[in-house]
Amino acid sequence: MTLALMFVTVILAHAQMGNQRLNPVTFTSQLKTDGSANAEIVFSGKIQAGWHIYSTNIPDGGPTSATFNVGKLEGVELVGKLTPRGKEISTHDPLFDMQLRYFEGSVQFVQKIKFTKPDYKIEGYLEYGACNDQNCMPPTAVDFNKSGKSPAVAEGKAGKGAKAATEAAATADNATATTAETAAAAEQEGEALAAQRADSLAQADSAAASVLSDADKDALWQPVVKQLQQLGGSNDLSSHGLFYIFFMGLVGGLLALVMPCIWPIIPMTVSFFLKRAKDDKRKGIRDAVTYGISIIVIYLGLGLLVTAIFGPSTLNALSTNAVFNVFIFLLLVIFAVSFFGWFEIKLPDSWANAVDSKAGNATGLLSIFLMAFTLVLVSFSCTAPIIGLLLVETVTSGNWVGPAVGMFGFALALAVPFTLFAMFPTLMKKSPKSGSWMNQIKVVLGFVELAFSLKFLSVADLAYGWHLMDREVFLSLWIVIFLALGCYLIGWLKFRTDEIGGDLRKPMPVPAIMLGLCSLAFTVYMIPGLWGAPCKAVSAFAPPINTQDFNLNTKTVEAKYTNYEAGMAAAKTLGKPVLIDFTGFGCVNCRKMEAAVWTDPQVADKLTKDYVLISLFVDDKTPLPEQIKVMDNGQQRTLRTVGDKWSYLQSHKFGANAQPFYVAVDNAGNPLTASHSYKEDVADYLDFLNKGLDAYKAN
C-alpha cells in the first residue's frame, strides 16, 4: 500500500509541473515547383488532439482566419488566394452566431504563385489562429523567406527566354498595378478606423509618458515567470486538479462501501481469512495487507487500462467530442434508472462463483488475489455506476493520469475497511446492519447521476449549436431533479424498491429529512437563475449565461484601457492593483468568460471599482510604427502589429501564450497571486480576485 501511495505521489508531482507555454501546432513550409513558371508555397501543419486551426475567409467579427501576408515580392506574383487542404469541419458557433470552419489533426495551406522574372525573392508569412475547448492561441505567424533562380531561366536557355522575360515583365507590371489598386482601395476603406486607433495609441503613450519614467517602463516588461510559478500559476492539465480527482475517487469508494451488494462479501472475507490465520496471526496480518493491495492493484489497473485504450491525446480530444458526450449522457441516464430500481446491472453469477471456487482451491498469493477479484466481480452491480461516473469525469478532464489517480482513490477507500476486516474478524460484529437505508443511498445516487448527465449533454449541445440545452432549460431540469430528490428524502416520493426492507408508511430518519430540506433549499436557490441570476453554485455545470434567451442581468464589463503602459500609469496614479486580461477579438473562450463570469454583479463590481482592468488584444491588427525584432523562447520573432506586441508581453513577461489569461499585478508589474485561465466558475474567479486584492493591501 505504501509503494502504491508513493507511485501516485510521484505521478502527481510530475503532472503538476505543467508549462504554461503551449505549442499545439507545428508547421513546415516549402516551395513546390514543377519546372514551369507556376509554383506553390505549401504550409503543412500538425495539430495536437483537442486543438483546431480555423480555415480561411472567416467572416469579420469571428476568430482569426488563416491568411498569407506579403512582406516583399520580387519576380513573383500571387495567383488567387490562400487555399486550405484537408478535412474541413463546419459548425455553428452560438457565441459568434456564425458558421465556423476549422481543421483538426492536420492541414495544409497553399498559396499559388507565378514567376515573372528570372530572379525572385519572396518574404511573407502565414498567420493562423488555433483554439481548444479552454484556450486560444494568439495569432501565430509562420515565416517564409526564399530567393533564387526561377524555372523560367531554363526555358530561356531553350530559346524562349527573351520572350518569356518580356511577357513576365508585362504581367508583373499589370499585377503590380492591380495590387496597388487593391491595396489603395483597402487602405481607403479602413483609413478612418486606422486613424482612430493611431490617435488612441498616441494618446495612451502620451498619458503613460507623463507618469512613467523610462526606467519604470523597462521594469514593467521584466519577466516574472519564476514569481508566478512560485505563486502556483494555473496549469493547463485540466479543469480539475489531480488531488480533486483523487478525492472524488475516495468519496466514490466510501459510497460503494454502503451499497447493498458489498455487505454479503464481508462474511465471505472474514471466513476466508479465519481459515488462513488459525495458527499464525502474523501470517494472517500479512495476508490481509496483501488482500488490500490486490484490491488496489485491480482497480488501479482498470484506470490504467482506460488510459492505455484511449491514449493521452485521445483523452483530451474526448472532452470536446460531441458524439462521445452524448454517449456518456445516455450511459449515465442508464446508471441512474438502474439505481432507481428499474433494472439491475449485473455480471453473470457463474463468473463470481467460478472465481470464488478457484480462490478456495488455490494457495499462496494467487488465492488472495482471486479473493480480491471475487470482491470486484460480486460488487459490480453496485459499484459499476459509481466507477462509470468517476471514469467519465477523469477521462473527459483530458488528463492522462486522471483515470489512474481516480481509481486509486476509489480502491483505497474500498480496500482499507476490507483489509481491517481481514486482519480483525471481530470487527464484523461492530459493523452496522444492512437495511432499507442502503436502498435509499442508491436512489439518492441515481438522482445525482441524472443531474450530472445533463452536463455532458450540454457540452454536445454547445458544440453542435442545437440550442436544446440552453441555460434556462438546464436549470429547469436541475430544479425538477433536486425538487424530486428533496421530496424523496422527506418521504413524499417513493420508489418500488422502497417496499423491500420496511413499511412504506414509516417516516424517513431525521438525517434524511435534513438532507431533503437542503435539496429543496437548493431548488429554491436555482429558481432566480431562470431570469438571469448568476447562481454561482452551478456556474461550473450550467451552460454560459449568454445562451439564456431571457436575462434581466444585462450588466457588462469592458476595460477602460487597452494599452499596457497607459493602464499601468493610471493604476499607479489611482493606487489600485491591475488585472491584465490577455484576450482576443476572435477568442471564443474569452467571450465565454466575459458572458458567464464577468456579468456576475460581484465580479463586475471588483473589476470596475477595486481593479484597473487592462484588456490586451493579441489579435489587434493595428500596425506598429516600426517593426520590432525580438527573441522569444529562443527564436527570433518579428513584431508587426499591436497584437504581436501584447502577445510578446504575455510570453516574455508571464511565460504563457494562450488566451484567456488573467494575472493580477501591483503597480510595478509584479504578480500578486497565481494566474487564472479559462474556468466558468464565478466563485473560483472571485477567490482569485480577492487573493490579489489581499496581497496588494498587504504590500
Side-chain angles (χ1 to χ4, degrees):
M1 191 177 300
T2 303
L3 290 175
L5 185 59
M6 289 174 61
F7 169 72
V8 172
T9 303
V10 171
I11 291 179
L12 290 172
H14 175 74
Q16 292 296 340
M17 295 171 62
N19 193 339
Q20 292 179 306
R21 291 294 296 262
L22 302 179
N23 187 27
V25 183
T26 55
F27 264 102
T28 58
S29 61
Q30 60 177 320
L31 180 64
K32 286 187 175 181
T33 60
D34 58 3
S36 69
N38 298 312
E40 292 181 341
I41 302 172
V42 180
F43 296 92
S44 302
K46 294 293 183 182
I47 312 168
Q48 288 183 8
W51 288 81
H52 55 266
I53 290 179
Y54 292 103
S55 186
T56 57
N57 301 318
I58 301 294
D60 292 338
T64 303
S65 294
T67 57
F68 181 72
N69 303 274
V70 174
K72 180 183 291 186
L73 287 181
E74 294 179 0
V76 173
E77 67 177 17
L78 302 182
V79 179
K81 297 182 178 180
L82 186 70
T83 304
R85 293 177 183 172
K87 185 178 180 181
E88 190 176 72
I89 301 171
S90 180
T91 184
H92 181 271
D93 189 275
L95 287 173
F96 290 105
D97 195 22
M98 64 174 64
Q99 200 74 11
L100 296 182
R101 295 171 291 106
Y102 56 86
F103 296 88
E104 296 178 344
S106 62
V107 64
Q108 282 189 338
F109 292 108
V110 179
Q111 176 62 62
K112 293 184 178 181
I113 61 171
K114 184 176 182 180
F115 297 110
T116 58
K117 294 181 180 179
D119 297 317
Y120 72 89
K121 185 174 184 179
I122 306 172
E123 292 183 2
Y125 61 94
L126 169 73
E127 187 177 61
Y128 66 90
C131 290
N132 66 2
D133 192 48
Q134 295 184 341
N135 300 296
C136 285
M137 300 291 292
T140 307
V142 181
D143 290 328
F144 183 85
N145 299 316
K146 198 169 183 65
S147 60
K149 297 285 186 180
S150 69
V153 174
E155 185 179 348
K157 292 180 180 179
K160 301 179 180 179
K163 181 179 179 182
T166 303
E167 292 177 353
T171 304
D173 291 339
N174 293 334
T176 303
T178 303
T179 303
E181 291 174 1
T182 304
E187 184 178 356
Q188 185 177 5
E189 181 180 350
E191 185 176 351
L193 180 59
Q196 181 180 357
R197 288 185 176 178
D199 290 341
S200 299
L201 286 173
Q203 292 174 5
D205 291 338
S206 177
S210 63
V211 177
L212 302 174
S213 65
D214 290 340
D216 290 335
K217 290 182 180 179
D218 291 340
L220 291 178
W221 284 76
Q222 290 301 311
V224 293
V225 179
K226 291 184 179 179
Q227 296 94 307
L228 204 57
Q229 289 175 346
Q230 290 173 356
L231 291 169
S234 61
N235 59 67
D236 297 298
L237 287 172
S238 66
S239 58
H240 293 311
L242 289 174
F243 284 104
Y244 168 84
I245 293 175
F246 173 76
F247 178 75
M248 187 171 62
L250 204 65
V251 172
L254 294 175
L255 288 173
L257 283 173
V258 296
M259 292 291 100
C261 60
I262 291 288
W263 289 75
I265 310 174
I266 296 177
M268 185 190 308
T269 300
V270 172
S271 175
F272 178 82
F273 284 97
L274 278 175
K275 294 177 183 177
R276 298 180 63 89
K278 283 183 178 179
D279 301 323
D280 191 345
K281 290 186 177 180
R282 181 177 297 180
K283 181 177 180 298
I285 293 176
R286 186 176 65 248
D287 289 347
V289 173
T290 304
Y291 177 60
I293 293 176
S294 299
I295 296 173
I296 293 175
V297 168
I298 292 171
Y299 279 110
L300 188 60
L302 178 61
L304 292 173
L305 181 63
V306 169
T307 306
I309 291 174
F310 291 106
S313 59
T314 306
L315 292 180
N316 186 56
L318 286 176
S319 65
T320 58
N321 185 280
V323 175
F324 180 76
N325 277 278
V326 170
F327 170 75
I328 293 302
F329 160 72
L330 295 174
L331 184 66
L332 292 183
V333 170
I334 292 173
F335 285 160
V337 296
S338 170
F339 273 164
F340 289 153
W342 192 1
F343 56 86
E344 186 176 4
I345 301 174
K346 190 177 181 181
L347 289 174
D349 292 334
S350 57
W351 292 15
N353 294 333
V355 175
D356 185 37
S357 62
K358 288 185 178 181
N361 296 329
T363 58
L365 295 178
L366 178 61
S367 65
I368 299 175
F369 184 83
L370 289 174
M371 186 64 196
F373 199 64
T374 303
L375 165 67
V376 175
L377 287 178
V378 173
S379 63
F380 181 80
S381 62
C382 291
T383 58
I386 299 175
I387 294 173
L389 180 61
L390 173 63
L391 288 178
V392 162
E393 276 292 308
T394 54
V395 165
T396 56
S397 72
N399 191 331
W400 73 273
V401 293
V405 172
M407 291 307 295
F408 175 76
F410 179 89
L412 187 64
L414 197 63
V416 169
F418 274 91
T419 302
L420 293 175
F421 278 123
M423 284 183 180
F424 311 105
T426 55
L427 286 177
M428 181 180 173
K429 298 178 181 178
K430 300 179 181 179
S431 62
K433 303 301 180 183
S434 61
S436 60
W437 61 275
M438 289 185 174
N439 179 71
Q440 292 163 6
I441 291 177
K442 284 183 63 176
V443 172
V444 170
L445 287 177
F447 280 112
V448 172
E449 295 222 355
L450 191 61
F452 268 97
S453 69
L454 298 178
K455 170 190 172 184
F456 298 97
L457 180 60
S458 172
V459 172
D461 180 74
L462 289 171
Y464 279 107
W466 296 330
H467 297 290
L468 299 175
M469 190 59 63
D470 289 342
R471 187 172 183 268
E472 66 269 26
V473 177
F474 183 94
L475 289 177
S476 298
L477 292 172
W478 266 41
I479 288 170
V480 171
I481 290 172
F482 284 96
L483 176 63
L485 174 59
C487 292
Y488 175 79
L489 289 170
I490 289 176
W492 298 342
L493 178 66
K494 295 292 184 181
F495 284 81
R496 182 178 60 84
T497 52
D498 291 317
E499 298 176 3
I500 303 172
D503 187 356
L504 287 175
R505 294 172 297 179
K506 184 179 179 180
M508 297 290 282
V510 173
I513 294 175
M514 297 301 294
L515 288 175
L517 292 176
C518 291
S519 181
L520 293 177
F522 183 59
T523 301
V524 175
Y525 164 80
M526 288 188 289
I527 291 175
L530 299 175
W531 291 273
C535 294
K536 302 170 197 174
V538 299
S539 61
F541 302 96
I545 199 168
N546 64 291
T547 64
Q548 189 152 326
D549 296 326
F550 184 67
N551 184 6
L552 297 178
N553 183 13
T554 58
K555 187 174 182 179
T556 58
V557 177
E558 292 185 2
K560 185 177 180 180
Y561 298 95
T562 55
N563 180 282
Y564 177 53
E565 286 89 355
M568 293 300 294
K572 185 176 182 180
T573 302
L574 296 172
K576 290 184 177 181
V578 175
L579 181 69
I580 305 177
D581 162 36
F582 287 97
T583 182
F585 295 112
C587 174
V588 178
N589 302 301
C590 303
R591 302 294 86 78
K592 288 182 180 180
M593 287 293 292
E594 292 161 11
V597 179
W598 282 16
T599 52
D600 177 80
Q602 285 184 272
V603 173
D605 283 344
K606 289 190 179 296
L607 291 178
T608 55
K609 296 178 182 179
D610 298 332
Y611 278 94
V612 171
L613 178 60
I614 305 174
S615 288
L616 303 179
F617 291 83
V618 297
D619 54 0
D620 189 336
K621 300 301 182 185
T622 305
L624 291 171
E626 292 183 5
Q627 293 186 0
I628 306 171
K629 290 189 180 296
V630 297
M631 292 300 295
D632 185 21
N633 201 28
Q635 296 181 344
Q636 189 179 60
R637 177 180 174 186
T638 302
L639 308 182
R640 302 178 176 90
T641 65
V642 172
D644 290 342
K645 182 179 178 181
W646 304 144
S647 174
Y648 172 69
L649 172 67
Q650 183 186 3
S651 61
H652 172 72
K653 184 175 179 67
F654 301 108
N657 63 345
Q659 294 78 45
F661 183 81
Y662 310 98
V663 59
V665 299
D666 60 18
N667 301 133
N670 298 312
L672 296 169
T673 184
S675 60
H676 198 284
S677 56
Y678 174 77
K679 188 177 183 181
E680 293 182 43
D681 188 333
V682 173
D684 188 63
Y685 202 81
L686 277 172
D687 182 60
F688 158 68
L689 295 177
N690 287 328
K691 286 180 179 178
L693 286 172
D694 292 340
Y696 184 80
K697 293 174 182 177
N699 293 335

